[in-house]
Every structure is written in structure tokens, then in C-alpha cells.
Amino acid sequence: LFWAGHRQFSLRRLYIEHIETLLGLDLNQTFSQEEYVHALGDSRIGLNIYGFGYDTVRYWELPAHGCMLLAERLPIAVPHNFVDGTSAVFYDDLGELEQKLLYYIERPEETQAIAQAGHEHLKKYHSGTARAKQFLAWLQPYLPTST
């Protein structure tokens, strides 16, 4: 399980402390950039809990590094968002987080399949190239036509 960040925002502290107690983990670690990338790559499940804002970097970097994204369901619209149970796993509250975390810890093959699907989904819809193409497609109706 991978998680890193500040605990003081939103429900993060409560959720992280509960998971640490449940699993006997210490998620209060500081990483160098190299250690951070290595820890992401070694993790099967990455936890995303929004804090000061809803759209966190971790929401995108977990699938980019091949982790299964286990994320708090966002109350914002995300174009081409991940699909729950297919390319990511979402939860709404602490009880559901605990239930899904325990479920996926016991099912590494299913976790890996979702992680791979999330990685492919990210490359297809959320790479710089994909986003540029989406932006240009949205602009197309407003661009002058050549005669």
C-alpha cells in the first residue's frame, strides 16, 4: 500500500490513522524523489484521499506508475474519468475504504488487472498528447473555416 502526503487536510488524518492501525503500517514516511518513485513502483495499491483540493497529483501519478488507484470518489466532473472496478476503485467513506482495501489486498491478480487497465486508460485519455487532442476537438466548432 502506498500513501504519502500531508495529513492535516479534510479527513486524511482520520483515514490514514485508521488504515495504519488496521494494517499495522506506518504511512508517515518522507521520501527523496528517487525513493518516492521506487516506492510507487513497488506498490500494488495506491491510496488517494483528497485534501486541500479534489484534483490531487496522486490521483494521476498512481496509475501512471502502475499502482491500482484506490481513491475517494471525487465530487467533481472528470472528463474520461477512470471506471470504478475496471480501471480504478472508488470509495465514499471510511467503512467502504476499509472493506475495499482488505478485499483487494487479498486479490493480487484482480488488483494487478485494475492497475494495468488504469495505466492504459491514463495513457489513452490523460497524457499530454491526449489532452491536447481533446482540447483541439473542443475548439474545432469555434475555429474559423478556410474558404
Side-chain angles (χ1 to χ4, degrees):
L1 176 66
F2 180 84
W3 187 84
H6 299 287
R7 295 176 181 231
Q8 70 266 28
F9 303 114
S10 188
L11 295 171
R12 280 183 175 180
R13 192 183 100 257
L14 172 69
Y15 283 23
I16 294 301
E17 288 174 359
H18 181 78
I19 296 303
E20 287 174 323
T21 301
L22 178 72
L23 300 178
L25 297 175
D26 177 11
L27 297 173
N28 192 27
Q29 299 178 35
T30 303
F31 299 99
S32 69
Q33 184 64 39
E34 183 178 324
E35 292 168 334
Y36 186 86
V37 170
H38 186 67
L40 275 170
D42 286 346
S43 299
R44 286 187 296 138
I45 300 171
L47 184 58
N48 183 69
I49 305 169
Y50 56 78
F52 194 64
Y54 296 124
D55 188 8
T56 65
V57 170
R58 200 155 300 101
Y59 192 81
W60 307 104
E61 74 182 351
L62 291 167
H65 284 86
C67 288
M68 184 189 84
L69 174 63
L70 178 58
E72 197 166 7
R73 196 176 312 277
L74 299 178
I76 58 173
V78 176
H80 306 288
N81 201 4
F82 299 100
V83 177
D84 190 19
T86 302
S87 54
V89 175
F90 297 108
Y91 62 90
D92 291 308
D93 56 36
L94 183 57
E96 190 176 11
L97 167 58
E98 179 180 325
Q99 178 237 339
K100 289 185 175 184
L101 180 57
L102 293 174
Y103 176 89
Y104 286 103
I105 284 173
E106 295 296 321
R107 292 165 178 80
E109 296 84 14
E110 193 173 346
T111 300
Q112 181 57 38
I114 294 170
Q116 183 62 38
H119 183 75
E120 295 303 320
H121 183 90
L122 179 93
K123 290 191 308 185
K124 182 176 181 179
Y125 295 106
H126 301 292
S127 68
T129 300
R131 290 278 179 95
K133 288 177 182 177
Q134 292 165 24
F135 180 70
L136 291 172
W138 292 330
L139 280 181
Q140 192 62 41
Y142 305 102
L143 296 175
T145 57
S146 57
T147 55

